[in-house]
Amino acid sequence: MLEGFDEFDIATSDTTIHGRRGGAGPPVLLLHGIPETHLMWHRVAPRLAERFTVIATDLRGFGASGTPPSAPDHAPYSMRAIARDQVEVMHALGFERFAVAGHDRGARCAYRMALDHPEAITRLAVLDIVPTGDAFDRADMNFALGYWVWSFLAAPEPLPERLIAAAPSLLVDHMLDSWSHAPDAFPPEVRAAYTAQFADPATVHAICEEYRAAATLDYEHDQADRGRRRIACPTLALWSAAGPVAEWYEPLRVWQAWAGDVRGGPVKSGHFLPEEAPDETARHLLDFLA
């Protein structure tokens, strides 16, 4: 899995970030979503590495990255803090400026990075999301039922932590199988890696804290930036052709309120674009990054 990519662990101001590096050329950072790790890019990263230096990391709280202590306001697991980790990692690797592509939670980290660190981000790709502030502002019955994980994981400690501990594989399999259109897109060893992290109480707590931060600080940060700060770099938005983002929103119009140069469109896939539709996802990314 990701043969030819070198593993690393880099200390940041607050924690340690695990990842892999491969290829040569302009730098591209790849960020994963839930319930995944950096392994979600295993079908796309090698193709990008033919033309780019590819860095794929585990977000703070996921995979083999650190799980620093949280705080009453959940700030250590806000996307502002998580984005800062990733900028520090790229700087430690020698990249002051780089492109970033993120899926799901990784996409939320990526667009926050573009807002908070515009000097560092050359291009931004967001996969199957709209901004957190927009998602909460437009929430309705469909959102409450379809995105129930946002409320469940954000529930007060220790409720979700204890429920997940009772059956971690049940939660992971539900996410992978119900959010995808091709459950066989996840090789057994990859599915096992995703499930293993949810057996670690520190990781589960960190992931819950991330969702608590999303419902508080991340939302507040988006509201503070709305109409005041815009994403300065070219932005690519891709989404599942038949998923909630396509059904509930007009994704390009939503992103055009945040960035001046936005392009993109739907992909014939379920939620997990890089794993379910790696050829189309890689093609879109290569065209955009070039």
Side-chain angles (χ1 to χ4, degrees), residues 107-118:
R108 300 187 187 286
C109 175
Y111 84 76
R112 175 46 55 189
M113 195 184 310
L115 288 167
D116 286 358
H117 305 275

Side-chain angles (χ1 to χ4, degrees), residues 115-200:
L115 288 167
D116 286 358
H117 305 275
E119 74 288 346
I121 308 303
T122 60
R123 287 181 177 257
L124 166 69
V126 288
L127 276 58
D128 213 37
I129 70 159
V130 296
T132 301
D134 291 86
F136 276 120
D137 278 347
R138 300 167 190 235
D140 57 10
M141 182 182 292
N142 288 329
F143 180 94
L145 295 174
Y147 279 6
W148 59 270
V149 69
W150 286 44
S151 300
F152 170 60
L153 294 177
E157 181 186 359
L159 180 63
E161 285 92 337
R162 290 188 179 179
L163 291 175
I164 293 168
S169 62
L170 181 65
L171 178 67
V172 174
D173 286 343
H174 176 82
M175 291 178 179
L176 296 178
D177 296 339
S178 67
W179 297 351
S180 68
H181 293 173
D184 60 353
F186 312 102
E189 64 271 27
V190 172
R191 188 181 286 258
Y194 297 162
T195 302
Q197 64 182 336
F198 282 83
D200 176 18

